[in-house]
Amino acid sequence: MILDWLQNMGKSSLNFFRKIGQFSLFLFHLLSGLNYLFFRPRLLIKEIYSVGVLSLLIIIFSGLFVGMVLSLLGYVTLVDFGAEGSLGVLVSLSLVRELGPVLTALLFSGRAGSALTAEIGLMKATEQLASMEMMAVDPMKRIIAPRFIAGIFSLPILTAIFILVGIYSSFLVGSLWLGVDEGSFWSQMQSKVEFQHDLVNGFIKSFVFGIVVTGIAVFQGYTATPTSAGVSEATTRSVVHSALAILGLDFILTSIMFGL
Amino acid sequence: MRLSKKTEIMVGIFVLLGAISVILLALNVSNLSNFSAEKTYQIKAYFDNIGGLRTRAKVSMSGVKIGRVSHITYHPERGQAEVTLTLNPKFKLSTDTQASIYTAGLLGEQYISLEPGAEDDVLTTGNIITLTQSAMVLEEIIGKVMVNLTSK
């Protein structure tokens, strides 16, 4: 009884370490094949189109609504203290520091990460990856690397667009609907939001999330069990693991960047 | 590999949108347009008590923002708090400038207010403001009032 329990525990911890080792080897293999992309930049452009450009619509709409909701929510609280001029500060700081990078990464893992996992997993299930190896084409260089780099490149761009759309939509709701003074909205925002401390740190976050989300997505696809059930399981795991990794990493990064 | 022209154009637009967003965020939302890229100079001021002053607090002259508090530490030999002010070189301060710590509003954040002096010499990097006035701490004032009341 106790032996069984111990055996189970040992098995699961060994499994855990094997997964970590597998992931590190995968990442190492991936990074060592990156120079291939310098000779084939078109592979990258195609992937940026499917990963980045096609995610644009959901990012713009989410930014729009998140900004408007933040504006309404902040106004109700701030107006009690006569501080509704600080609405711009509230909205811009929360978007630039937290909501922009985190929400964009979560949406991105749902929109693009799951698609990457399913695509690569199906390629494996239908033995396209194996046949590439037969033709002496390394699928790591040809298939995985362009998708990985495209994800890392696209996520910060999407984050910037998300934050910008969010701030402008909250400005529209704030000034046109709620009657917040236009001048104090922008001037207080500009005096409180710092380029290096807030914007640059926000983009560092988004860059880290890009590595994590696309790394998990392509890894889950590449190691998926090559059956239809295996691919669906890998897609689910890709989204769940990315979401947990984003939120956990966000706490660590925030405490390093903005904690006292 | 052939890519359709539309794909390439869309990727170009995407990258351009990203660049425009970053530039707009930097110029419109953050304070980059103020003076973070310009040269600055640092002077020091020693206070008996800085209250709740934090780094990156505002430094103002007649209410106009001219810089920020960049560093706060305790100076053991003087037994005082050492506050480093990073200022915009557009504004020259005379050597007998007075620095005080005030509170914005009743419950607002604390900032440093500078009052101009009459001397012709100006402060440069590394110089020290000698005339300082500490932060007003509510407990001290209450303590003084209590002493006055009980001594009667």
Side-chain angles (χ1 to χ4, degrees):
Chain A
M1 181 63 188
I2 292 181
L3 269 182
D4 276 357
W5 184 72
L6 275 177
Q7 193 194 352
N8 268 335
M9 205 157 103
K11 199 172 141 194
S12 52
S13 45
L14 279 179
N15 241 334
F16 175 73
F17 284 114
R18 209 185 54 198
K19 264 272 148 63
I20 290 183
Q22 215 180 351
F23 186 66
S24 327
L25 278 178
F26 174 79
L27 215 60
F28 178 72
H29 194 167
L30 178 57
L31 293 178
S32 58
L34 282 186
N35 55 348
Y36 180 73
L37 279 181
F38 284 109
F39 308 108
R40 309 294 288 269
R42 296 195 154 216
L43 285 175
L44 193 60
I45 289 176
K46 182 172 161 286
E47 292 313 320
I48 291 176
Y49 180 76
S50 67
V51 165
V53 177
L54 294 182
S55 311
L56 207 53
L57 205 64
I58 186 177
I59 293 296
I60 289 177
F61 271 96
S62 316
L64 203 68
F65 289 118
V66 167
M68 294 198 288
V69 166
L70 267 182
S71 203
L72 285 175
L73 198 67
Y75 180 80
V76 172
T77 319
L78 290 173
V79 79
D80 286 345
F81 303 101
E84 66 267 28
S86 308
L87 187 66
V89 182
L90 178 110
V91 169
S92 60
L93 276 187
S94 45
L95 273 174
V96 168
R97 285 182 174 183
E98 297 296 333
L99 289 177
V102 171
L103 279 183
T104 313
L106 286 176
L107 289 169
F108 185 78
S109 88
R111 164 67 184 76
S114 59
L116 285 181
T117 310
E119 189 185 12
I120 296 170
L122 268 177
M123 278 183 176
K124 198 183 173 193
T126 53
E127 293 178 336
Q128 293 180 46
L129 296 185
S131 56
M132 272 191 169
E133 272 170 15
M134 290 290 289
M135 295 187 290
V137 177
D138 189 353
M140 203 61 124
K141 291 179 181 169
R142 175 85 198 197
I143 302 291
I144 313 283
R147 286 167 173 74
F148 184 62
I149 296 299
I152 295 176
F153 182 75
S154 302
L155 188 53
I157 293 181
L158 291 172
T159 306
I161 295 170
F162 182 92
I163 295 173
L164 193 76
V165 171
I167 288 175
Y168 274 92
S169 66
S170 80
F171 167 68
L172 284 184
V173 167
S175 73
L176 294 184
W177 182 7
L178 303 171
V180 174
D181 180 49
E182 200 174 309
S184 62
F185 185 92
W186 289 111
S187 68
Q188 291 206 26
M189 184 192 295
Q190 281 169 9
S191 71
K192 285 282 161 59
V193 179
E194 294 207 11
F195 182 73
Q196 281 179 345
H197 189 248
D198 296 321
L199 269 182
V200 171
N201 275 342
F203 282 116
I204 290 174
K205 261 189 185 177
S206 144
F207 181 70
V208 173
F209 292 160
I211 295 174
V212 170
V213 170
T214 29
I216 288 175
V218 291
F219 175 70
Q220 291 295 354
Y222 194 71
T223 55
T225 320
T227 58
S228 37
V231 173
S232 97
E233 211 174 273
T235 313
T236 311
R237 257 203 315 260
S238 155
V239 175
V240 172
H241 287 193
S242 313
L244 287 178
I246 290 165
L247 295 171
L249 264 179
D250 181 54
F251 173 70
I252 297 171
L253 287 175
T254 301
S255 57
I256 294 172
M257 289 167 174
F258 306 115
L260 287 174
Chain B
M1 186 174 65
R2 295 282 302 148
L3 284 175
S4 74
K5 209 169 181 180
K6 188 189 149 219
T7 312
E8 289 180 345
I9 291 173
M10 289 301 279
V11 171
I13 292 173
F14 176 63
V15 174
L16 199 70
L17 263 181
I20 291 172
S21 308
V22 172
I23 292 169
L24 273 179
L25 280 177
L27 294 181
N28 256 358
V29 174
S30 79
N31 60 351
L32 189 69
S33 45
N34 285 4
F35 62 85
S36 62
E38 284 177 30
K39 276 185 191 162
T40 54
Y41 69 106
Q42 273 92 26
I43 56 175
K44 288 188 172 125
Y46 293 92
F47 293 94
D48 291 327
N49 190 343
I50 58 164
L53 192 73
R54 296 266 182 91
T55 46
R56 310 198 304 123
K58 187 173 84 164
V59 177
S60 72
M61 177 86 122
S62 309
V64 180
K65 187 183 143 194
I66 62 166
R68 278 182 184 283
V69 171
S70 53
H71 193 67
I72 296 176
T73 184
Y74 179 70
H75 197 278
E77 278 102 67
R78 297 176 76 115
Q80 283 179 314
E82 181 187 286
V83 177
T84 309
L85 314 177
T86 299
L87 303 173
N88 189 335
K90 262 200 305 199
F91 304 101
K92 306 266 181 261
L93 302 175
S94 60
T95 47
D96 57 345
T97 299
Q98 191 188 345
S100 332
I101 298 178
Y102 288 144
T103 309
L106 202 57
L107 299 165
E109 58 185 9
Q110 295 194 296
Y111 66 99
I112 290 187
S113 173
L114 300 176
E115 275 118 69
E119 295 279 338
D120 288 335
D121 297 335
V122 292
L123 293 166
T124 52
T125 298
N127 284 19
I128 293 169
I129 293 182
T130 43
L131 301 167
T132 61
Q133 188 192 326
S134 291
M136 210 169 58
V137 180
L138 205 59
E139 285 86 340
E140 276 182 13
I141 298 168
I142 293 172
K144 276 178 194 161
V145 172
M146 292 297 279
V147 168
N148 279 342
L149 285 178
T150 47
S151 63
K152 271 177 193 169

